[in-house]
Amino acid sequence: MTTPSALERPTGVPLGHRLAARLVLLPAIALALLPPRRIRAVLGVLRRGAAPATTTQAQAARDALCAVSLRCTGPKGCLPRSLGAALLCRLQGAWPTWCAGVRVVPPFTAHAWIEAEGRPVGEAVPDGYFAPLVTVEPADR
């Protein structure tokens, strides 16, 4: 038996942000199909020359992805959502810290997220709830 649920999608996302999110959605989904070391290598190249993203920039990118894609809004959409948000930030000249890791408390599950200014963005969990295993931080300028 299934339990009905409703996914909350952000509203009020400007048209420009939604169009840019649609632009990065397909590359993010394709990137999510790669093995972790390839994802890290690709993101390592893409982050070059970008300034560290602010929390506001990262949250806006995450909201834009969730506004245009049900796949990214859903509970199993963390990898394409985090990759798409990182790519969207990069289009604006910024780079958040992209993280992939596990939940610290049982049940242990994999998760991917972005961080800005040292804190997870858009995750309704306390600090330390996730343990990062792979990170791609902004490059030193």
Side-chain angles (χ1 to χ4, degrees):
M1 184 162 107
T2 61
T3 304
S5 64
L7 299 175
E8 291 186 30
R9 295 174 81 179
T11 58
V13 177
L15 178 62
H17 281 96
R18 287 194 317 254
L19 291 174
R22 287 192 185 277
L23 179 70
V24 300
L25 184 59
L26 190 58
I29 292 170
L31 195 56
L33 298 174
L34 296 177
R37 66 185 166 88
R38 297 281 169 119
I39 293 173
R40 186 178 196 175
V42 169
L43 295 182
V45 170
L46 294 175
R47 73 180 177 172
R48 291 182 188 159
T54 64
T55 302
T56 305
Q57 289 172 317
Q59 184 66 53
R62 187 182 190 281
D63 288 347
L65 258 293
C66 290
V68 300
S69 171
L70 277 175
R71 170 181 272 172
C72 291
T73 306
K76 296 190 186 261
C78 63
L79 186 56
R81 177 177 58 235
S82 64
L83 291 168
L87 295 176
L88 192 53
C89 283
R90 184 61 186 106
L91 284 179
Q92 299 168 355
W95 187 262
T97 299
W98 178 82
C99 304
V102 294
R103 188 165 52 183
V104 176
V105 296
F108 299 102
T109 58
H111 189 59
W113 68 98
I114 58 172
E115 293 182 354
E117 300 170 357
R119 306 217 40 205
V121 175
E123 305 291 337
V125 295
D127 289 343
Y129 190 76
F130 298 116
L133 300 175
V134 179
T135 61
V136 181
E137 299 174 341
D140 294 331
R141 295 186 127 196

